[in-house]
Amino acid sequence: MGDMRNSDFYAKNQRNEGFGCSLMELRGLMELRGSEAVVKIQEEYGAIEGLCHRLKTSQTEGLTGDEVDLTKRREVFGKNLIPPKKPKTFIELVWEALQDVTLIILEIAAIISLGLSFYRPPGGNNQSCGTANAGAEDEGEAEAGWIEGAAILLSVVCVVLVTAFNDWSKEKQFRGLQSRIEQEQKFQVVRGGQVIQLPVADIVVGDIAQVKYGDLLPADGVLIQGNDLKIDESSLTGESDHVRKSADKDPMLLSGTHVMEGSGRMVVTAVGVNSQSGIIFTLLGAGGEEEEKKEKKVKKQDGAAAMEMQPLKSAEGGETDDKEKKKSGGSKKEKSVLQGKLTKLAVQIGKAGLGMSALTVIILVLYFAIDNFVLQKRQWLPECTPIYIQYFVKFFIIGVTVLVVAVPEGLPLAVTISLAYSVKKMMKDNNLVRHLDACETMGNATAICSDKTGTLTTNRMTAVQCYVGDIHYKVIPDPSSIPPKTLDFLVNSISINSAYTSKILPPDKDGGLPKQVGNKTECGLLGLIIDLKRDYQTIRNQIPEEKLYKVYTFNSVRKSMSTVIKLPDGNFRMYSKGASEIILKKCNRILNEVGEPRVFRPRDRDEMVKKVIEPMASDGLRTICVAYRDFPGNPEPNWEDENNILTDLTAICVVGIEDPVRPEVPEAIRKCQRAGITVRMVTGDNINTARAIAIKCGIIHPGEDFLCIEGKEFNRRIRNEKGEVEQERIDKVWPKLRVLARSSPTDKHTLVKGIIDSTMVEQRQVVAVTGDGTNDGPALKKADVGFAMGIAGTDVAKEASDIILTDDNFSSIVKAVMWGRNVYDSISKFLQFQLTVNVVAVIVAFTGACITQDSPLKAVQMLWVNLIMDTFASLALATEPPTESLLMRKPYGRNKPLISSTMTKNILGHAVYQLVIIFTLLFVGERLFDIDSGRNAPLHAPPSEHYTIIFNTFVMMQLFNEINARKIHGERNVFEGIYRNPIFCSIVLGTFGIQIVIVQFGGKPFSCSPLDAEKWMWCVFLGLGELVWGQVISSIPNNKLRFLKAAGQLSQKDDMPEEELNEDQEEIDHAERELRRGQILWFRGLSRIQTQIEVVNTFKSGTSFQGSLRRQSSTTSQNQDVTNVSSPSHLSLSNALSSPTSTAAVPAGRE
C-alpha cells in the first residue's frame, strides 16, 4: 500500500469498489479548506448527509462494525497506520561498530603484523641483524608468528559483535516501546449506535469519531456537528492561532492536529498514508530506501541544480543542519546531566591514554635504535629491514594496546545497558519512559510540581454535600425534601449541560463501584442525579446532542460550561455550571425554599461564601455551582457576545464534590521530602480546597512557614509595574511556595521556568512536572522531566511529556526517582571498577614496555581484559536493582563530581595494591615461583609461565575488585544483596570459567602457558587479597586525603551544554545576529528564486519534482534557524505544503 509508484495501485484508486467516492477524490477533498470545502461538499456530495451516504455510514449510528465491511474499507481506503522506517539491520550495526577509531588502528596493526609474519626475509639467518633473529632459530616458532595478528583480529570481531548486538537489542526495545505507546492511544468511535474506544490503528474511512478537548486527531475527517470547536493546526500549517471549526464554515479536520476546545463528531474520510499528515510523512520519505533512490535519481537529472545548491548548503545549510540534528536528536532541551559529565570524563581519559600510548611507542623505538645502532654500533643492512620493521610493528601494537585499555569504551555501553534495563523495569512500576535520559535526570530532581486532581487524588468524584433551597445539606438529601421545581431544574441542567460522553456505567465486577467514563467532575454531578433517584439518560434522549442550540465548552479561561437549548415556545434557556465563586459572581437571583427565584445581592453572596463555600472547601471539597438563565426568542440574543450572555444567572444549587486523596500518596510525599525533593501542588481549584488536600497529603504541615497563594496573587508578586515577570521577584516567592491554587497553565509554566532559571541556590534546580490537560503542554516541555497521566491525560500532554504514568499515581513518580538515582549509582560503580583497571593496565603496559621492551600483558590479553571489564562488568554492575536506601540521601545536583572523593580513594587504593603485586611478580616472580624469567624474550619466543602468572593474577584481582565496586559510598558489606542480582553472580562465575580455559588451553594465541594447581591457588589468593584490602581502604577517613576532592567534576561552565552557551553568545552579540539575519534573508531570497525556477522546470518536465522538494526543505532548515519554531519537522511541512510544489507532489510520487 505504501509503495505509491506502481501503476496498478493507481488504477485501483480510481475504482471505488462499490463506495460512492474513490480514494483519490477523498484525498482531493481533504486538501480544500474553509468555504471552498463547504461549497465542494454541498455541490458534489449533497452536503454532509450525501457524503456519509456515499461512504455507506450513518451520522448517528456509525458503521455496523461488520468484519467483512471493515476489511473491504481497509483494502479500498487503506489502514490507519504510517509504515515505520525500516530498522537498521544487524550488518549495518556491525559496520557502525567497526567505525570505532581504536578498533580501526588495531585492525591495521593486526593486518601489518599478519603480513610481516608470512614474509620470510632473505637474510633471515644473517647474524649481523643483531637481536632480531635470536628467537627465530626454531622454524616451528617462526611459523606461529601469524597467531598474534589473527588473535587480535578475532578479539576485534568479538568486541564489534557485542557492540552491534547491544545496539540491536536497544533498537528493538525502543521499537517495542514505541509500538506500546501507539497501542495505548485509543479514540472514541460510534459503531452500531454504541460509543466504543478503539485503538487508533483500527479506525477506517466512514467511521463516525467523537472528538473532544485534548484529542490528537488520528485521521482526516469532515465535521458533522461541533460545539465551539477550536483546533491547533500549527503542526501542519505553522500558524499558532487556534482555528475555529464548524460544519457550515470550516468543517475540515486534519490528522495530527490538536483539539484545544470544544467537542464534536466527524466522519473519517482519509486514514494512514492518505491523510494529510500521512501524505507529508510519505513526502519526507518514511521509507528510507525511496529516499536513497530519489537521491540517486536527483543526482543524475539534477546535476546543474545540485551545483547551484552547493554554495547554499555549505555556507549556511551545513551549519543549520547540524543544529537541527542536535535539536531534534535530543528532543529535550539539553544534554542530560550524566551525559555531560561522562562525555567530559571520557575525553579526559582518552587524551591521557593517547599521550601514554604515544610515549610508549617512542620510548620502545628509541631504546631499540639506541641499543642496536649506537651501543652495539651495527649497520642498518637492507636485508635486515623487514626484521626491523617487524620489531617496529610489535612496538606499535603494544602502543595501541595501551591506548585500547586506556579508553573506556565500555562507558557508553554501561550507560545504555543501565538505562535500557531501568526503562524495562520501570514499565513494571507504571512508568512508560519516552525519552531515555529522562529516567536518569529524574534521579537529580530537586522539585516536583504536581497537579492535584487525579495525581494526588483518586480522580473519582462523588457529590457529598449540597446547598439547595436555602439549606446546606451535609449529606445528599432525600429527593422529597427538595422543591420539585428546583429538582427539575437541577436534573435538567446537569444532564444537558455536560458532555454527552460523560456517563456512569454499571460496575465491571459485582459489588464494585459504578464506572465513571468521561469528565470526572461531570460524572460526580451525574452521580448526584442518580442519588436523587432520577435518570439523566432519559433527558438526554429527549434532547439529543444535535438539538443543542449553542455550547460554550469548558476551557481554562472561562472555568465554566454553558449550553443553550430552544424551548418548545420558541424562547431559549441556558444552563451553566462551573467553579462556585466564578458562577456566583454572575448570579443575581437564586432559587428559594419553594423553588422560586429571589434576589441574590453581593451581600448575600459574601455570606454564602463564608457559611457554605468556605466550610465545604476546608473539608477538601470542590464546589460547583449550577445555574440557568432564560432568554426571549425574539429578538434572538447575540450568542457571540459572551460577556452579556453569561450574566444575570439564577443559581439553582451549589454542590460539594469530594475527590479523596489516594491512600499511598502521603507516604510517597514523605519519601520525597526525606530524599530532599520539594513537592509543590499546582491546581486550578479553590485555595481552601487546595490547602485542605495539601495538608492531608503532607505537602504542608500546620505551623510551618509556607506560602499557599492563588494565581492572581502569584502574578501580582512576580510581575513589575509593566506586567513583566522578573526573576528576582520569583526568587522571593518560589522557595516557600507550596500550593498554587486557581492557577492558569501560564502560571504553571512561569513557575517552572522561574525555578529552573533561578540562581539564588548554588545547585541549579531540576524540576519535574506532572500534567494531564492540553494546556499543560508548555510546562511539561519546559520542565526537566515532564510526567503525563496515562489514563486521564490528553494526547497533547502525552506528546509533550518524557514519562507517561500508566496508573496516574504520584507514588510511581517516587519509583522513577529511585530508578533515576540507581542509574547514576550504577554508572558510578562501573566507573570505579573500570578506572581502577585502566590505571593499572596502562601503568603496567607502559613501565613494562619501557623497562623490558615488551608489555607483560600481551595485546590479546589486554583485549580480553578490556572485554571483561567493559562489556561484562557493565552488564553486571549496571543491572543492580534499586533499594529504598537510595531515597535516604539528598539529590546529587548538577555540579557534583561524577567521581566522589570516596570513589577516588577506592580507585587509587586498589590501583596501588594491584601495581605492587604485579611489579613484584614481574621483577622477582621467577625467583618466588622458581621458574624461567619471561623478561627480554626474543621476538617469537614461546609463552612463558612467568608472564602467564602475571596475566592470571591480574584478571583474578579484577574479578574480586568487581565485587568491591558494588558499593560506592564506603559501605563495609560489599556482598549485601548480591543474590538479588543473578546477572552479577553469573557474570563473575562465567568470567572465572573462561579465564581457566584461556590459561590452560589458550596457548600461543593468548600467550599463555598452562599452570599447575599450586600456582592457580596463588593467583586466586592474591586476587582475594583485593577484598581484604578493600576493607582497609574503607577504614581510611576521607578527610585525611584532601587532595582527592576534585576528580571528574563539571564546572558551572561545563554544566551548560554547548547549545546554551551558543545561545548566550548569540544573545550577547546583536550585531552579529543582524548580520546573520541579513545573510539568511539573502539566502532565503536566493533559494526562493531557485525554487521558482525549479517549479517551472518541474512543470515543463514533470520529473524532477523531488529535487525541488529537497530544495524546499533545505531552505526551510535555514528559515528555522531564525524563527526557531518549537517543532522542527512541522515548519518544513507547512512550507512544503504551501509551496506550489505540492501540486506536483501527487503525480510525481507515483511515477
Side-chain angles (χ1 to χ4, degrees), residues 230 244 265 645 655 918 1085:
K230 284 192 188 153
R244 261 187 184 238
R265 290 209 319 278
I645 300 281
V655 184
I918 285 179

Side-chain angles (χ1 to χ4, degrees), residues 2 60 196 403 569 590 698 792 810 931 938 954 998:
T60 46
I196 53 169
L403 177 65
D569 59 5
I590 188 167
F810 186 84
I931 46 178
F954 181 66
I998 288 179

Side-chain angles (χ1 to χ4, degrees), residues 4 123 896 1037 1070:
M4 298 170 61
K896 169 152 187 324
H1070 289 292

Side-chain angles (χ1 to χ4, degrees), residues 960-1022:
F960 288 105
N961 194 28
E962 199 167 334
I963 300 174
N964 275 331
R966 291 183 68 247
K967 299 288 178 234
I968 49 174
H969 296 299
E971 296 92 332
R972 287 257 175 218
N973 181 4
V974 288
F975 291 102
E976 182 198 353
I978 197 164
Y979 296 119
R980 290 221 324 268
N981 188 355
I983 301 182
F984 184 86
C985 303
S986 48
I987 282 181
V988 171
L989 294 172
T991 314
F992 189 69
I994 300 174
Q995 179 63 18
I996 295 177
V997 174
I998 288 179
V999 170
Q1000 297 305 99
F1001 310 105
K1004 186 78 188 170
F1006 277 98
S1007 315
C1008 284
S1009 153
L1011 301 177
D1012 57 30
E1014 185 196 352
K1015 298 195 179 79
W1016 261 103
M1017 294 310 290
W1018 272 106
C1019 293
V1020 175
F1021 171 73
L1022 290 170

Side-chain angles (χ1 to χ4, degrees), residues 226 273 442 455 486 506 544 588 637 718 887 935:
V273 285
M442 205 46 220
T455 314
T486 311
N588 56 10
I718 63 169
L887 292 173
R935 294 195 299 283

Side-chain angles (χ1 to χ4, degrees), residues 105 123-124 166 202 217 221 250 339 349 383 507 580 589 606 610 660 663 679 873 951 993 1025 1141:
I105 296 176
N166 275 307
D202 293 353
L217 296 182
D250 182 1
Q339 280 169 334
I349 296 173
E383 62 266 27
S580 52
R589 292 203 279 303
D606 296 342
K610 265 198 199 68
V679 182
F951 166 58
T1141 51

